[in-house]
Amino acid sequence: MTESITEIRINDKIFKAKGTYLFGKTAKKYTTSEVDEETGKKLETDGVTSIFMGLMQQDPDKLIEFWHSATSHYLKEQPSFEEIALAIEDIAEKEDLKPYFVGALRLLNEGGYYKGKLKTLWFMMERSTQTKNQEEKKKAEESKELFKELYEEITGKPPYNSKA
């Protein structure tokens, strides 16, 4: 099984990641938006989903955002964004970041607080393959399969139990 890390050492203190209400509140800072090329409409992705999708791409900037959000339950003792960024840079120089991505993805996808939200995201990806025209359907199917494969490649587990 792939190693999963959900603790980080910053300034000689160990911080444990948690996916709590405060995670989501902090993650709002990391909401992303883009313009749909076909419709011209602005599409917004909430912070939790934006972080999750970035973690799927093993984006180190999203790993920093994850840790900034995942340590928000420490309140006044929470490390700053810059302290977290420096810690992640130091880790990256010495070892592979993959166990940190695995821990982050599993915490969000399998943890109690955001488990339902992300199960809904997976469900919506599944349903998006049932669009109107064949070209859109094929594109949505490929995208869904890509994300399922990515998640499994990174974490060593399928993204959800469809029978649950």
Side-chain angles (χ1 to χ4, degrees), residues 8-106:
I8 190 169
R9 179 181 293 278
I10 299 172
N11 300 327
D12 291 324
K13 182 173 178 168
I14 294 179
F15 294 91
K16 183 162 179 52
K18 286 192 178 180
T20 63
Y21 163 77
L22 291 173
F23 181 105
K25 191 172 179 185
T26 302
K28 283 183 181 182
K29 297 175 186 175
Y30 308 118
T31 299
T32 56
S33 62
E34 54 188 64
V35 177
D36 184 306
E37 294 175 13
E38 292 177 21
T39 64
K41 291 182 182 177
K42 186 177 180 181
L43 304 170
E44 284 210 352
T45 303
D46 69 271
V48 173
T49 304
S50 174
I51 289 170
F52 184 78
M53 297 306 269
L55 291 169
M56 292 274 289
Q57 297 170 34
Q58 297 189 58
D59 180 343
D61 294 338
K62 290 297 181 181
L63 187 60
I64 295 166
E65 291 173 9
F66 166 83
W67 277 100
H68 188 233
S69 301
T71 56
S72 57
H73 63 282
Y74 285 96
L75 304 172
K76 292 179 181 175
E77 295 178 14
Q78 179 187 21
S80 70
F81 185 89
E82 291 75 19
E83 289 172 319
I84 293 167
L86 289 172
I88 296 293
E89 284 178 15
D90 287 346
I91 293 166
E93 287 178 12
K94 298 173 189 158
E95 58 188 282
D96 189 2
L97 288 175
K98 186 172 180 180
Y100 292 88
F101 284 106
V102 172
L105 285 166
R106 285 189 182 160

Side-chain angles (χ1 to χ4, degrees), residues 99-162:
Y100 292 88
F101 284 106
V102 172
L105 285 166
R106 285 189 182 160
L107 183 117
L108 291 175
N109 199 55
E110 300 167 19
Y113 199 77
Y114 291 107
K115 183 178 187 177
K117 176 183 185 61
L118 291 167
K119 189 167 188 162
T120 300
L121 175 69
W122 290 110
F123 176 78
M124 288 171 35
M125 275 194 253
E126 192 77 38
R127 291 302 284 250
S128 71
T129 62
Q130 299 171 1
T131 53
K132 295 175 184 92
N133 76 43
Q134 282 300 92
E135 187 177 317
E136 286 178 356
K137 186 174 183 172
K138 186 175 188 240
K139 197 184 262 187
E141 182 70 36
E142 288 171 357
S143 180
K144 176 194 74 168
E145 288 305 315
L146 172 69
F147 278 108
K148 285 168 89 173
E149 287 176 29
L150 265 175
Y151 185 88
E152 195 162 349
E153 170 65 28
I154 295 165
T155 66
K157 296 175 75 172
Y160 61 92
N161 181 353
S162 58

